[in-house]
Amino acid sequence: MKKIKFLLISALFIFSINTYAQFGGGGGGFGGGGGFGGGPGGRPEGGPGMERQGNRNDKNKNADDDVPKIGNITGSVVGLKDGIAIEYATISIIDTKTKKTVTGGITNVKGVFNIKQIPAGTYTAEISFIGFNKFTTPAFTITNKAKTYEAGKIYLEEKADMLDEVVIQPDVTTMENRIDKKVVNIGKDMITAGATAKDIFENLPMVDVDFDGGVELQGASVTVLLNNRPSGMSVADLIESLPADAIEKVELITNPSAKDDPDGVGGIINIITKRGSIQGISFNTRVGVDTKGKWNGGFNFSTMTEKIVFSINYNLRYSQNDQDNETYRANYRTSTAQQNPYLNYQFGNSNSTSISHNIRASLDYLPNKKTALSYSISVSPRNSNSESLSSSYFLPLNTAMSDMSKEIAQQIVDEYREDMDDFFNRYRENSSVSNSTNMMQNITFRRDYTNYENFVIDVSHSFTYNGNKNDILNTLAEEDARITTFDRISNNTRSNQLTARADYEKEVRGVSKFEVGVKGDFVWRDMPYFYYIDEIPDMERSNHFQYDQQLYSVYATYAHYLGNFTLKAGLRGEETVYRTLGLGIERVGSEIIYTPDDDAVVNRNYFSLFPSAAVSYRFGSNNEININYSRRVTRPNVGTLNPSYRFSDPLYVTVGNPYLDPEFANSVSMGYFRSLGNKGSINLNATYRNNTDEVQRITTRIDPTDPTKPESDVLYTTSENIGSSYSMGISFSASYKIIKNWNVRLNMNYSYREVNIPDKENYLKYSDRFSVNFNTNYTIMKSNTRFQLGLRYQGPQTQIQGKSNGTLMTNAGFSQDFFKKKLGFSVRVNDIFDSARRNSDTFGDDFVMYSNNHYSMRTVNFSVSYRFAEIKFKKDKRAKGLQEGSDSEEQTPSLESVN
């Protein structure tokens, strides 16, 4: 019933907006002419030909007014000097009498435009694009007898003063709506010097980021790519280390086409970084520090000639993090060591420091107008140290499990606080040192046979090394007795990934597009993990795990453009072959030796089909509806497969499950996008998703690696295929420029999930979550001063074994530009009210656990940046194609909000 209600409400909401937008003033808007966004392009003004027919004075009607939107204008836009088509040039249709814009649009990938539904009247067309002088056509008249005006080929001339222009970052973040994705062009309102990709992700529509850097898209797991490729780093490390000002745009793909990898139930987030696409030289540098002792610095450099494009980016970041934690666990399962129920009270703190470097360089060779060859490399070394202390006490418990609560647990601790050392307790001191290096190389060849046909070959290789050493002092005490051990963990992981793909696409007569491609993906990982107690190997906790995977893919997609409709369908086939290998090991004295006869091997292979379909309909000049379908998969990764124990504490263990099956999902989404022209945009999206073999983290007393092992006081957290589920979500995002120098953004996400777990009746079967993000930016134009304020709320969350509280964080920023915007200074305050806390409750068959975590995130960051450039703005389509792979845009122009 809840499912039906949710779908009806979502459909009714979207239908209501669409209907109102379609019949509102000026070809669609919220309200009629003169209302909020009533005019075309979202302008609040009305204008001739913009009123509803029912509001007109019949005496003033003439023959042309009987069909007020009868005309169209066609043409193409190219650069005057080089004749290259200009994509996303803005076309504004201006009434010659009122001087107001009545409708408009943008050019497509070939620089072509076709603006429809122009009311009868006399107009001029104004064509503009950043870095070029505006062009205005001669006046033309639309009548019943002359419905089409052919503007022909329009040449735009580069601005002469672009040689001295420094800043090419747009002032305001904008969103483009494509048939299968949303593209967020990052503006200065979302960036302050010293910020990272994590700060941008926290402000993206449909995206949720937790305290640990975990990312979800519309409430589900997501694959995060860097320039259309895996980064080789964890998502948390990637978004924390990548500077925000290195990002050009972010693509949000909730239902990717068959051309894209199907990994990630929630879809794909693709980060596109800036790259040399301007002739001449561009350079900027930055440095920042905050009140927690963190500091960062770096530079960007790019240069472009007719045949060579080179860019390099370097970023250095030093960080410190502190965290306090507190856990109450009521245990009702007795054992030899604990013959009565008890309350385990644990508290501790940790602090860590890390220094990371990130350097990325790319070189493009453009021998002619049809061919391009690119090489890129990125290297990211990182070193970190951490210290943690924890104390654990075992206190008497006389409260029944059904009556237990966090408040009662706290009362018990307060009752025994003065005498805790009289009870059995543990003390743990952990010191760890880790170092890692990630290196990724890529080479791409692109051949444009015509403007409608191209072929791309892309090969990439990544290597990652993670080395960790932990020294642990464990103390067990009870009254006067005390036992101390010295533990040591050695963990060195190496991984290699090789990916090769070939893609071919061709457009036919400007009305259809065909894409085919093949891909091979190969992964090898080696993960030795050895645990020592007083320098003697503990074979129960040690293992050596290896993993290799082969993935072969082939796909085909077909798109057809039919008037205001765009139809796209595709099919992808994948063969997955992987092997997990637990190497046989044993202890001889104080050494670990390998015993190949004891190797534990798990071989798996499966073939899967991943269909996709999308329909897009544009009405008016500013409205678009999308309906998308795709089949997705979440494959078990090394972390969830590796059956090695990971001890955060002697009583809390994380362990993988080598027998996990992949989780599949069928996802359908329906979206509405409304461009408000230079005022902003509105985006509404609803999703329904059905999952099979859903993977969830489970906490239990049963050792997943040996179910026959007697249960103890230890809790094991592992991953299991728990059953099936369905989820529904709705997201709303809007940006609006209130006045010329003041804009606001609002993002809201809600999701509901229901899980079917046949053999776990006590697990929570229903859950929902809600998040809101609000940002506002105000600029004092004369002094180049910008103020920012952001609020981020994440509502309470429910998991199958518990729940966690909601959080509200407030951030603020200030930036000032000097010397013609060459020198910039900014101040950014994170978590003003120190509210970054996460409290959670977890339950099992015979335990209840309450956790309190405080993240020290309140900081004040001071940053300085300097920009130098000697450039001529000149987009090169070949360089763009190399950066974004073969993922060229659809012929039908996307709707875009241009602020």
Side-chain angles (χ1 to χ4, degrees), residues 441-460:
Q441 301 179 81
N442 171 263
I443 186 167
T444 303
F445 169 81
R446 179 184 178 102
R447 174 69 175 176
D448 291 328
Y449 299 104
T450 67
N451 288 336
Y452 308 95
E453 183 180 12
N454 65 71
F455 177 67
V456 177
I457 297 177
D458 185 275
V459 179
S460 63

Side-chain angles (χ1 to χ4, degrees), residues 855-893:
Y855 300 83
S856 181
M857 299 181 68
R858 181 167 60 184
T859 58
V860 181
N861 178 278
F862 304 91
S863 298
V864 177
S865 63
Y866 182 79
R867 311 178 187 94
F868 167 79
E870 185 179 349
I871 62 178
K872 288 195 297 181
F873 196 94
K874 181 178 180 180
K875 289 279 185 180
D876 193 298
K877 192 174 176 181
R878 294 166 294 166
K880 177 177 182 285
L882 283 170
Q883 175 174 303
E884 301 183 16
S886 61
D887 188 19
S888 60
E889 310 305 339
E890 307 299 334
Q891 181 196 22
T892 303

Side-chain angles (χ1 to χ4, degrees), residues 57-78:
N57 188 331
D58 292 340
K59 292 189 301 182
N60 294 329
K61 283 187 177 182
N62 55 44
D64 291 337
D65 288 331
D66 293 334
V67 281
K69 297 177 181 178
I70 57 175
N72 69 297
I73 176 175
T74 63
S76 62
V77 181
V78 299

Side-chain angles (χ1 to χ4, degrees), residues 178 202 397 672 771 835 865:
R178 311 278 172 84
E202 290 173 347
L397 176 62
Y672 167 74
S771 64
S835 56
S865 63

